[in-house]
């Protein structure tokens, strides 16, 4: 078995898998390396959101729109296996003033290509019959989709493996990123072997800062903890992803303290997932019942019928969080051959398709469809931020 | 009423009730919380209307009057309060009252949550009429009802004798006891640790005598390889009619041509026990691997875990049976009380209990070694074999995830197939999944599989309305 | 050949508790579990699974496996092995998620 590849992707989560997929489409041979197994990191704690609805106009929304189009193309490639559903999203404002803000926000988004339709009264209840009738109104985003993130990562990689273009190295912890005399990367060293490639893509998510450090550069990624509640399997109660307007504000917040806002959606198996919480508490995994209660209360405010549903389990994960709320994507100007694809802060699944696509374009020297300047890894060097290690 | 207690004991089996009796001696506020309708755990299970369980040697009713026993209360989570060092015990009511949730605080906690039968997937094990050995026992002891008319008792370990004996003593019929291992192994292991005479424990001898009197065959080096449901119940729904048994090699692989069919309407399964460590894992207690291939919480000679003020006794510290559980319960009760009163327990008593514990612990280890459970044979069964009962995930589904999608460990299998994500949260299937992955003796991975932040389902409405959570966060 | 099977109890007093199972009036012994009551009425299963509509009844018998779920007094997903019968109980076979 060869140890030489055109590209090495560090991280077998959904972003790494997407990078590997598009690199293969571009004709490269790829090794995917992960210290655990596929989706062992944050992807394993993801909900599967593919949203344009929660993003304000700017580089991230542009990325989301491109990603949404690419995910739509992936439906035919691997859709059914990964429970990819173009079910649409519904952002709701419980109070009238929240709904007014939501509508104004949607108007701004519409100018950038987001399809958004305000819905109230009977029309709203037709979209979501179990929604609390006291909700002032909502905005429907037909472009939002949902997938099963672990299956998505696994199948994107498996497809490449079947084609003979991807080699998967699990339980392989990267301990060094060697560089040659001109400072260009030559591959990675794991605890068991050395792999060679002129291109190394750092898709290590919440641990992207650690991988970057191995290559001698700073990429300040912090963990932002989130919990998800999982109910017993239920009949269909929620048709789409439904979330409260406060969700957008929370994502953009710099507050380290607990932020919660309701996000409720059904899954293929009938369980309902309830999020979303964000807090900066390092890598503490201990379940906080105050968070559980807040999430339950907020979900019940939107769907009172869920009061009878039982909580079966919870899971938590650490979203990779950059100080300016944008991911790190593209070639690192400081290290030839090193690219980053991490820091997607709760939007990793949704943005993975565009991320992988842009990485592949950069890898073969094609001018990227979107400017990568806002996502440059070097942008933090001017004001140094400490990197949190696990 | 205040929610503060001195000592809370979770589990009213032999360990928990012995601990409660001992801990109540110096006048501390002791509360036992138990999910069942009445105390007794598994071994001392009895009908809800029968005489109350009192462990032997614990007969002072004046003392019991001081112990608060909360039956029909299920603890769904516990956590330590870092500032006070107290432990919060979150519980909900029984199946009729799941919305009634409450909270208690303890200065010290004793976790005696026992164990459940350990299971491995076999074709047809999901059919009505197949149940755990402990399930048959709980029907007989708790409700006076037989599990079936004619039962095949199968699996491995001395518990098979107990199950078979219970059935015949209740007037039922046992077609045979099918033991995967060979009893000679027990003598070999115990001789290493004790004089040979100890190998004949009084109870095992008694069970063997009962079975001999009822002419129940005890067939060794065999296991059930298939269960079929060719019969129907009074509602016309399929139920067990036949089980196929084959001789096996040391890795439990069946030998072709040795099939033996039994006409039975009930098959019991049990391959040792899995300790119920949910709450101890929630608390972050250090876990270790046990001689039977499972996990146990690490405790010191005081039965103290690695977390301050948290003690454990009984099967959670390693499967060891009712007598060991009783002794461990007393030790835990003594030391938990001593920690709170500041008065050291009587040296002679402690020495005696420690000596009994050592003896019983050694025997438990010998038993574990004499009845080993290989698991890789699970992987070689037909692909349609249901592994995850709750989500109906088959062996074929799991093999695909393992071979085609790179799911090399149980957690990945769970994420990619949903095995372990149903109501029982992996309690019935995780041992099989580990076997299919090729069990690596990795305590961390096993502990991750066994971790459940919510130990029993709780209605969202109850959580949303719970005023106790608000009070806690204000601390 | 199908066997019509009824669970039989050892010689114990039969003071009857009146309950209904799938609309039928029955009398069972006090203090037994709902699972035991169902068994004495000849039920080996009282639920069908959500995925493959397969019959399930009691398995672990101690509340750990959640196979024995039944509808009790209109409430679905009640563990029959963990619940003691009470006079007037209405027990019903459940299907799928248990919820209507």
């Amino acid at each position: 078995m060869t140890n030489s590849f055109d590209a090495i992707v560090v991280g077998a989560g959904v972003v790494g898998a997407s990078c590997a997929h598009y690199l293969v489409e571009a004709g490269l041979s790829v090794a995917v390396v992960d210290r655990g197994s596929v989706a062992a990191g944050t992807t394993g704690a993801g909900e599967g959101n593919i949203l344009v609805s929660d993003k304000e106009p700017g580089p991230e929304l542009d990325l989301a729109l491109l990603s949404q189009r690419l995910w739509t193309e992936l439906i035919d490639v691997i859709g059914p296996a990964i429970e990819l559903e173009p079910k649409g999203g519904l952002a709701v404002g419980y109070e009238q003033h929240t709904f007014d803000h939501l509508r104004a926000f949607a108007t701004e988004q519409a100018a950038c290509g987001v399809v958004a339709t305000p819905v109230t009264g009977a029309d709203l209840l037709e979209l979501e019959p179990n929604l609390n009738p006291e909700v002032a109104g909502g905005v429907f985003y037909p472009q939002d989709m949902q997938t099963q993130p672990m299956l998505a990562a696994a199948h994107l990689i498996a497809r490449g493996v079947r084609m003979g273009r991807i080699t998967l190295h699990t339980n392989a912890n990267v301990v060094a990123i060697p560089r040659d005399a001109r400072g260009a990367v030559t591959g990675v060293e794991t605890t068991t072997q050395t792999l060679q490639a002129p291109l190394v893509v750092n898709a290590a998510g919440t641990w992207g800062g650690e991988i970057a450090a191995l290559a001698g550069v700073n990429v300040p990624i912090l963990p932002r903890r989130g919990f998800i509640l999982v109910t017993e399997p239920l009949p269909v109660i929620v048709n789409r992803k439904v979330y409260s307007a406060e969700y957008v504000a929370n994502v953009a917040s710099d507050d380290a303290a607990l932020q919660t806002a309701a996000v409720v959606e059904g899954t293929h198996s009938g369980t309902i997932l309830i999020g979303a919480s964000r807090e900066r508490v390092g890598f503490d995994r201990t379940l906080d019942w105050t968070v559980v209660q807040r999430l339950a209360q907020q979900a019940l405010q939107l769907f009172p019928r869920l009061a009878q549903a039982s909580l079966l389990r919870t899971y938590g994960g650490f979203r990779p969080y950059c100080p300016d709320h944008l991911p790190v994507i593209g070639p690192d100007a400081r290290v030839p051959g090193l690219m980053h694809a991490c820091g997607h802060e709760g939007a990793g699944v949704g943005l993975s398709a565009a991320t992988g696509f842009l990485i592949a374009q950069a890898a073969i020297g094609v001018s990227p469809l979107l400017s990568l300047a806002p996502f440059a890894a070097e942008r933090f060097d001017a004001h140094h931020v400490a990197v949190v290690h696990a | 009423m205040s929610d503060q207690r001195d000592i809370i004991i979770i589990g009213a089996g032999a360990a928990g009730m012995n601990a409660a009796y001992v801990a109540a001696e110096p006048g501390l506020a002791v509360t036992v919380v138990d999910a069942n309708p009445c105390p007794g755990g598994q071994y001392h299970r009895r009908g809800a209307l029968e005489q109350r369980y009192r462990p032997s040697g614990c007969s002072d009713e004046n003392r019991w009057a001081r112990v608060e026993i909360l039956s029909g209360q299920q603890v769904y989570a516990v956590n330590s309060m870092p500032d006070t060092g107290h432990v919060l015990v979150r519980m909900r009511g029984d199946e009729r009252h799941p919305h009634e949730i409450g909270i208690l605080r303890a200065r010290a906690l004793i976790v005696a949550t026992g164990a459940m039968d350990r299971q491995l997937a076999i074709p047809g094990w999901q059919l009505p009429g197949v149940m755990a050995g402990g399930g048959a026992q709980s029907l007989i002891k708790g409700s006076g009802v037989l599990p079936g008319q004619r039962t095949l008792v199968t699996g491995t370990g001395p518990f098979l004798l107990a199950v078979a004996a219970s059935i015949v003593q209740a007037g039922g019929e046992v077609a045979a006891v099918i033991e995967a291992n060979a009893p000679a192994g027990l003598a070999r292991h115990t001789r290493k640790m004790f004089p040979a005479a100890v190998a004949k424990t009084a109870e095992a001898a008694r069970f063997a005598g009962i079975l001999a009197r009822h002419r129940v065959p005890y067939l060794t080096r065999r296991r059930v390889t298939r269960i079929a449901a060719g019969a129907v119940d009074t509602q016309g729904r399929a139920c067990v009619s036949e089980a196929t048994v084959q001789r096996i090699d040391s890795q439990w692989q069946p030998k072709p041509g040795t099939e033996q069919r039994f006409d039975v309407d009930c098959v019991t399964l049990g391959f040792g026990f899995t300790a119920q460590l949910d709450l101890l894992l929630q608390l972050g207690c250090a876990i270790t691997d046990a001689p039977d291939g499972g996990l146990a919480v690490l405790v010191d000679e005081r039965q103290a875990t690695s977390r301050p003020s948290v003690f454990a006794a009984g099967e959670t510290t390693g499967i060891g049976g009712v007598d060991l559980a009783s002794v461990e319960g007393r030790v835990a009760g003594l030391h938990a009380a001593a920690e709170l009163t500041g008065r050291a327990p009587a040296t002679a008593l402690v020495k005696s209990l420690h000596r009994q514990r050592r003896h019983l612990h050694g025997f438990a280890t010998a038993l574990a070694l004499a009845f080993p459970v290989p698991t890789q044979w699970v992987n070689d069964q037909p692909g349609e074999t249901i592994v995850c009962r709750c989500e109906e995930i088959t062996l074929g589904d799991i093999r695909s995830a393992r071979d085609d999608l790179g799911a090399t460990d149980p957690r990945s299998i769970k994420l990619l197939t949903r095995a372990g994500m149903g109501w029982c949260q992996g309690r019935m299937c995780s041992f099989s999944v580990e076997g299919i992955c090729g069990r690596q003796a990795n305590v961390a991975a096993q502990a991750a599989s066994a971790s459940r932040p919510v130990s029993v389902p709780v209605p969202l409405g109850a959580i949303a309305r719970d005023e106790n959570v608000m009070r806690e966060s204000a601390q | 050949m199908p066997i019509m099977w009824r669970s039989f109890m050892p010689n114990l007093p039969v003071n009857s508790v009146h309950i209904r199972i799938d609309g039928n009036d029955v009398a069972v012994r006090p203090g037994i579990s709902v699972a035991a009551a169902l068994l004495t009425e000849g039920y080996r299963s009282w639920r069908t699974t959500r995925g493959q509509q397969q019959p399930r009844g009691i398995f672990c018998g101690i509340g750990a496996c959640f196979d024995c779920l039944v509808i009790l007094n209109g409430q679905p997903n009640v563990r029959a092995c963990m619940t003691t019968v009470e006079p007037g109980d209405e027990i019903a076979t459940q299907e799928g998620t248990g919820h209507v």
Side-chain angles (χ1 to χ4, degrees):
Chain A
M1 186 162 71
T2 181
N3 279 355
S4 243
F5 305 90
D6 297 326
I8 295 170
V9 174
V10 179
V14 68
V15 175
S18 177
C19 289
H21 168 80
Y22 286 106
L23 285 167
V24 162
E25 296 285 282
L28 279 66
S29 64
V30 181
V32 177
V33 182
D34 197 294
R35 66 181 178 179
S37 57
V38 171
T42 305
T43 296
E47 228 184 303
N49 294 335
I50 299 172
L51 307 182
V52 298
S53 54
D54 62 341
K55 298 177 176 61
E56 58 185 18
E60 205 190 4
L61 178 56
D62 296 334
L63 197 60
L65 284 164
L66 171 61
S67 212
Q68 192 269 352
R69 287 202 295 280
L70 291 165
W71 269 114
T72 310
E73 286 172 21
L74 284 173
I75 290 177
D76 292 326
V77 177
I78 51 170
I82 68 174
E83 298 171 17
L84 182 55
E85 286 181 70
K87 55 161 70 165
L90 183 66
V92 299
Y94 191 78
E95 311 276 351
Q96 185 61 45
H97 66 90
T98 317
F99 176 48
D100 293 337
H101 279 187
L102 203 51
R103 260 195 310 208
F105 184 62
T107 310
E108 289 173 28
Q109 293 172 308
C112 301
V114 175
V115 179
T117 313
V119 194
T120 54
D123 295 329
L124 185 56
L125 289 177
E126 195 180 311
L127 275 183
E128 291 291 345
N130 293 296
L131 188 63
N132 188 341
E134 290 178 23
V135 167
V139 176
F140 179 58
Y141 293 86
Q143 292 162 308
D144 282 355
M145 304 199 287
Q146 186 183 348
T147 186
Q148 207 273 37
M150 310 98 195
L151 288 174
H155 279 275
L156 282 170
I157 292 173
R159 186 173 172 274
V161 169
R162 276 195 308 273
M163 289 163 58
R165 304 300 294 164
I166 292 180
T167 315
L168 176 62
H169 300 257
T170 52
N171 301 303
N173 202 8
V174 172
V175 295
I177 299 182
R179 298 160 71 171
D180 64 18
R182 28 169 221 112
V185 300
T186 59
V188 303
E189 276 173 30
T190 72
T191 42
T192 47
Q193 55 182 178
T194 300
L195 303 174
Q196 280 136 9
L199 169 60
V200 173
V201 180
N202 171 16
T206 317
W207 299 271
E210 291 177 30
I211 297 299
L214 291 177
V217 288
N218 172 48
V219 173
I221 294 183
L222 294 160
R224 207 164 180 203
R225 185 175 78 178
F227 287 114
I228 293 184
L229 313 185
V230 186
T231 68
E232 59 176 289
L234 295 162
V236 178
I237 292 177
V238 181
N239 290 330
R240 290 156 191 81
K241 178 179 310 294
V242 179
Y243 62 90
S244 67
E246 289 80 4
Y247 179 75
V248 182
N250 289 356
V251 175
S253 167
D254 283 318
D255 202 329
L258 174 68
Q259 315 258 297
T260 61
V263 179
V264 185
E265 66 185 335
T267 62
H268 221 240
S269 64
T271 61
I272 287 183
L273 305 182
I274 295 171
S277 70
R278 294 173 141 72
E279 39 183 348
R280 283 182 27 205
V281 290
F283 283 96
D284 183 359
R285 288 195 176 274
T286 323
L287 181 62
D288 182 340
W289 281 90
T290 323
V291 179
V292 176
Q293 181 173 60
R294 275 228 237 160
L295 295 178
Q297 286 168 341
Q298 289 171 334
L300 295 191
Q301 189 180 56
L302 294 186
F303 291 94
R305 193 174 152 190
L306 290 178
Q308 303 305 314
S310 283
L311 175 68
L312 226 55
R313 70 181 182 110
T314 64
Y315 59 93
F318 301 100
R319 304 177 186 81
Y321 165 57
C322 282
D324 59 3
H325 306 283
L326 291 175
V328 183
I329 303 174
D332 191 318
R334 303 163 290 185
V335 181
L338 178 66
M339 292 194 194
H340 303 282
C342 48
H344 295 78
E345 212 280 334
V349 179
L351 300 177
S352 59
T355 301
F357 185 84
L358 293 167
I359 289 285
Q361 286 193 307
I364 59 174
V366 167
S367 184
L369 257 182
L370 284 182
S371 167
L372 296 178
F375 311 114
E378 318 80 67
R379 70 191 190 264
F380 302 105
D381 278 354
H383 23 115
H384 180 80
V385 177
V387 178
V388 174
H389 291 267
Chain B
M1 184 186 180
S2 162
D3 58 19
Q4 181 71 58
R5 301 291 183 277
D6 287 324
I7 299 178
I8 291 176
I9 298 166
I10 305 178
M17 292 292 272
N18 270 280
Y21 188 77
V22 166
E25 197 266 333
L28 294 169
V30 175
T31 297
V32 181
V33 182
D34 186 74
N36 288 310
C38 60
Q42 307 310 333
Y43 189 90
H44 291 288
R45 184 183 290 272
R46 75 247 351 251
L49 303 178
E50 290 179 53
Q51 191 177 38
R52 274 179 315 193
Y53 168 54
R54 293 290 184 248
S56 70
C58 305
S59 53
D60 180 356
E61 284 302 323
N62 292 324
R63 202 191 298 186
W64 281 115
R66 293 204 310 268
V67 176
E68 176 187 36
I69 299 179
L70 300 176
S71 292
Q73 291 293 310
Q74 314 198 50
V75 177
Y76 63 88
V78 289
N79 56 279
S80 325
M81 304 300 292
D83 30 351
T84 57
H86 291 180
V87 180
L88 269 160
V89 175
R90 300 175 190 279
M91 49 200 196
R92 49 149 268 206
D94 62 18
E95 295 298 275
R96 294 182 192 269
H97 309 97
H99 285 267
E100 290 178 11
I101 64 179
I103 205 170
L104 288 177
R105 290 155 214 277
R107 292 166 60 206
L109 181 73
I110 303 178
V111 178
T113 44
M116 54 189 171
D117 297 67
R118 190 164 58 176
Q119 298 298 345
L120 288 166
I122 288 174
W125 75 306
Q126 76 286 356
L127 295 167
V130 183
M131 63 185 79
Q137 285 242 351
S138 86
L139 284 171
I140 293 168
K141 291 185 176 183
S143 295
V145 166
L146 287 168
Q149 207 153 30
R150 190 159 186 267
T151 302
L152 194 67
V153 175
T154 84
T156 190
F159 187 53
L160 303 188
L161 297 177
V163 172
S166 291
I167 294 173
V168 299
Q169 285 186 297
E173 195 187 337
V174 174
V177 175
I178 309 294
E179 164 62 65
N181 283 297
L186 173 59
R188 183 173 66 242
H189 284 284
T190 53
R191 224 175 285 129
K192 274 196 233 178
M193 304 193 178
F194 304 100
V198 176
K200 299 185 178 73
T201 63
E203 191 179 60
R206 192 163 58 84
F207 291 151
I210 292 168
L211 295 180
R213 270 199 302 286
H214 285 83
R215 305 200 191 291
V216 175
Y218 181 71
L219 306 175
T220 61
R221 299 188 205 269
R222 290 167 171 83
R223 67 170 178 81
V224 174
T225 52
R226 175 167 290 279
I227 302 168
V232 292
D233 66 4
T234 54
Q235 307 307 305
R237 287 193 280 262
C239 55
V240 171
S241 60
E242 178 186 276
T244 303
V245 168
Q246 287 177 260
R247 289 185 186 267
I248 52 178
D249 64 21
S250 64
Q251 292 310 301
W252 292 23
Q253 294 293 356
K255 298 183 180 175
T258 64
E259 288 83 350
Q260 195 180 353
R261 282 185 179 76
F262 289 88
D263 286 331
V264 289
D265 64 344
C266 177
V267 178
T268 71
L269 299 173
F271 304 91
F273 297 95
T274 300
Q276 301 199 90
L277 301 174
D278 293 8
L279 303 181
L280 295 161
L281 287 163
Q282 286 175 11
L283 288 165
C285 297
I287 303 293
T288 182
D289 49 355
D292 63 357
L295 296 179
V297 67
L298 206 52
V299 289
D300 64 12
E301 57 167 25
R302 301 180 312 135
Q303 303 291 143
T305 70
S306 62
R307 299 290 296 160
S309 308
V310 177
F311 297 78
E315 309 284 67
T316 54
T317 69
I319 305 305
V322 68
D323 293 335
L324 177 56
S326 303
V327 172
E328 289 194 359
R330 291 180 180 219
V331 175
L334 272 181
H335 289 290
E339 189 172 285
L340 298 186
T341 61
R343 292 196 301 273
T347 319
L349 175 59
V350 170
K351 271 195 168 153
S352 163
L353 287 171
H354 285 199
R355 196 180 336 113
Q356 290 174 59
R357 181 177 59 186
R358 241 188 342 268
H359 165 98
L360 290 163
H361 194 253
F363 188 59
T365 304
L367 279 180
L369 297 175
F371 293 93
V373 185
T375 52
Q376 288 197 279
W377 56 269
V378 176
N379 183 52
D380 301 328
Q381 300 183 109
E384 322 78 69
T385 308
I386 296 225
V387 176
C388 167
R389 301 169 62 96
C390 298
E391 299 295 291
E392 300 172 276
I393 308 299
T394 66
L395 179 55
D397 296 332
I398 295 174
R399 287 201 287 237
S400 291
R402 183 195 61 196
D403 301 334
D404 304 335
L405 298 182
T408 52
D409 61 283
R411 179 177 179 258
S412 300
I413 299 272
K414 178 172 151 181
L415 292 177
L416 296 181
T417 65
R418 287 196 58 78
M421 288 214 196
W423 278 98
C424 95
Q425 292 291 294
R427 289 179 176 92
M428 297 297 114
C429 66
S430 57
F431 193 49
S432 294
V433 172
E434 284 164 24
I436 297 163
C437 280
R439 268 167 56 74
Q440 291 119 32
N442 179 344
V443 175
Q446 275 181 271
S449 274
S451 286
R452 296 180 189 94
V454 188
S455 190
V456 65
V458 188
L460 286 172
I463 294 170
R465 282 190 313 267
D466 183 19
E467 287 169 6
N468 297 302
V469 178
M470 305 303 265
R471 266 198 292 127
E472 180 215 337
S473 64
Q475 297 286 321
Chain C
M1 180 163 50
I3 305 167
M4 293 296 283
W5 177 89
R6 297 183 89 93
S7 183
F8 64 96
M9 295 176 283
N11 304 324
L12 286 165
V14 188
N15 302 330
S16 295
V17 169
H18 294 272
I19 62 176
R20 286 166 77 83
I21 300 178
D22 285 331
N24 298 313
D25 293 319
V26 299
V28 297
R29 198 163 67 85
I32 66 172
S33 68
V34 169
L38 286 159
L39 288 173
T40 61
E41 290 306 309
Y43 282 68
R44 302 315 289 287
S45 62
W46 46 84
R47 171 172 90 86
T48 54
T49 58
R50 178 177 116 241
Q52 306 294 320
Q53 291 80 52
Q54 294 300 295
R56 295 287 173 89
I58 186 172
F59 181 68
C60 80
I62 62 168
C65 76
F66 289 82
D67 242 8
C68 64
L69 305 178
V70 79
I71 300 176
L72 177 64
N73 301 327
Q75 188 188 325
N77 299 313
V78 171
R79 284 174 290 174
C81 73
M82 293 290 282
T83 310
T84 309
V85 291
E86 281 178 15
D89 274 343
E90 304 243 354
I91 299 164
T93 300
Q94 72 170 50
E95 292 172 4
T97 64
H99 298 271
V100 290

